[in-house]
């Protein structure tokens, strides 16, 4: 982390978990134990149907509500999809784009990720752009090539002033939901590489202002070490973000110099 230059963001990615009433219950439990944290921003990305409930439930708390996906068209015949404007209108600030589950299960590509990044930015939302290699790709030694391609494709055509609104999340696919975390060194190495890629494209000043998160089995036991890496500015947390006490422990782990 480097709080001098950029925000630290601890974000939950709830995936397809919790009903609207469970969202309310989570918020009530969190409220009791949430530190008056000033050392990081706190974000909870919830299923689209739960966004209004989440906005209501987290209203009095310093917790921002995000979405897990969007579609890139403004409106039209796209049954089942949700636009950036619709999210914005509900009070959403952040939206996850290109999560590996969407890439693997729902046909998301680098091209659709790029379109979604533009749609989010045009609506005034902050995209959290997910990149990450599979185990096979890591073993083949092509991790950095792949990350470079994913970052460059996602950001194609994004102007420098808009880049400041983007968050990048490095999520090695082999670490997501598996309990197998990247070591702090492995995660730190790729996050440093992501910043170098952005530096190459946009220059040093902008690159150092971009928040880069790590995601993939982050939990109370490994968060502090991961967040101690100079280029890891937060976490995108699945499983451990579903339990208020574990989520708070990770928030507390971000309280370090
Ligand atoms: P996990 O999920 O923390 O359950 O591994 C992270 C993510 O998919 O964003």
């Amino acid at each position: 982390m480097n709080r001098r230059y950029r925000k630290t963001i601890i974000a939950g990615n709830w995936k397809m978990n919790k009903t609207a009433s469970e969202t309310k219950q989570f918020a009530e439990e969190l409220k009791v134990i949430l530190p008056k944290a000033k050392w990081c921003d706190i974000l909870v990305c919830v299923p689209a149907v739960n966004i209004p409930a989440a906005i209501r439930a987290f209203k009095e708390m310093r917790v921002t509500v995000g979405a897990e996906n969007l579609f890139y068209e403004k409106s039209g015949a796209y049954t089942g999809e949700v636009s950036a404007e619709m999210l914005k209108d509900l009070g959403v600030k952040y939206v996850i784009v290109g999560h590996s589950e969407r890439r693997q299960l729902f046909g998301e590509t680098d091209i659709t990720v790029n379109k979604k990044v533009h749609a989010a930015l045009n609506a005034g939302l902050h995209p959290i752009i997910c990149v990450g290699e599979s185990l096979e790709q890591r073993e083949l030694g092509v991790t950095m090539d792949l990350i470079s391609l994913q970052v460059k494709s996602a950001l194609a055509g994004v102007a420098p002033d808009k880049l400041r609104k983007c968050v990048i999340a490095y999520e090695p696919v082999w670490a997501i939901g598996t309990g197998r975390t990247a070591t702090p060194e492995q995660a730190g190495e790729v996050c440093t590489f992501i910043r170098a890629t952005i530096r190459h494209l946009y220059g040093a000043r902008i690159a150092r202002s971009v928040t880069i998160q790590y995601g993939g089995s982050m939990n109370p036991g490994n968060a502090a070490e991961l967040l101690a890496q100079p280029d890891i500015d937060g976490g995108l947390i699945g499983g451990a973000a579903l339990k208020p006490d574990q989520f708070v422990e990770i928030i507390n782990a971000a309280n370090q110099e």
Side-chain angles (χ1 to χ4, degrees):
M1 293 181 297
N2 188 332
R3 271 195 287 274
R4 212 168 122 208
Y5 295 122
R6 47 193 179 258
K7 274 185 191 169
T8 300
I9 306 175
I10 299 297
N13 170 14
W14 282 8
K15 311 192 178 187
M16 197 173 75
N17 291 294
K18 295 194 191 294
T19 60
S21 22
E22 286 165 347
T23 303
K24 189 163 171 258
Q25 195 187 333
F26 177 97
E28 280 163 8
E29 285 173 37
L30 186 69
K31 195 171 186 171
V32 180
I33 54 173
L34 190 69
K36 299 216 174 339
K38 287 283 181 282
W39 54 84
C40 65
D41 286 14
I42 304 164
L43 171 68
V44 178
C45 298
V46 304
V49 287
N50 292 344
I51 290 169
I55 301 261
R56 269 196 306 277
F58 293 112
K59 205 169 160 195
E60 308 297 324
M61 299 155 69
R62 33 174 260 95
V63 176
T64 306
V65 175
E68 300 176 10
N69 184 33
L70 80 168
F71 189 53
Y72 50 78
E73 294 293 350
K74 281 201 162 72
S75 63
Y78 305 104
T79 303
E81 293 297 319
V82 172
S83 74
E85 281 299 334
M86 291 171 186
L87 296 175
K88 176 78 178 170
D89 189 62
L90 287 178
V92 164
K93 299 269 190 296
Y94 288 82
V95 56
I96 299 172
V97 176
H99 189 280
S100 67
E101 285 148 19
R102 297 218 57 89
R103 292 181 193 253
Q104 285 179 327
L105 304 172
F106 301 99
E108 199 86 88
T109 65
D110 286 334
I111 307 295
T112 56
V113 168
N114 177 253
K115 289 184 179 179
K116 290 184 176 193
V117 167
H118 281 282
L121 290 169
N122 289 339
L125 298 172
H126 297 268
I128 299 178
I129 304 163
C130 299
V131 298
E133 81 289 1
S134 67
L135 188 58
E136 292 79 5
Q137 288 161 332
R138 177 159 280 269
E139 285 170 351
L140 285 174
V142 298
T143 297
M144 299 310 189
D145 299 293
L146 182 90
I147 298 291
S148 166
L149 181 71
Q150 288 181 333
V151 170
K152 286 179 182 166
S153 316
L155 298 178
V158 172
D161 61 315
K162 291 270 177 71
L163 184 80
R164 291 176 189 279
K165 297 197 182 324
C166 297
V167 173
I168 312 283
Y170 168 54
E171 298 208 309
V173 178
W174 48 273
I176 294 176
T178 57
R180 195 177 154 186
T181 329
T183 64
E185 292 71 29
Q186 283 174 325
E189 185 190 21
V190 180
C191 292
T192 298
F193 176 78
I194 291 171
R195 197 175 309 287
T197 305
I198 296 172
R199 189 181 310 122
H200 209 72
L201 296 170
Y202 292 90
R205 268 192 52 199
I206 294 185
R208 89 181 170 203
S209 73
V210 175
T211 296
I212 302 177
Q213 299 174 312
Y214 167 79
S217 300
M218 190 185 263
N219 61 50
N222 60 29
E225 268 192 313
L226 286 159
L227 295 168
Q229 292 289 317
D231 284 304
I232 300 184
D233 311 308
L236 184 58
I237 302 129
L242 294 171
K243 304 207 176 75
D245 53 339
Q246 292 193 14
F247 192 48
V248 163
E249 280 189 62
I250 297 174
I251 291 165
N252 286 333
N255 184 15
Q256 49 180 284
E257 280 314 312

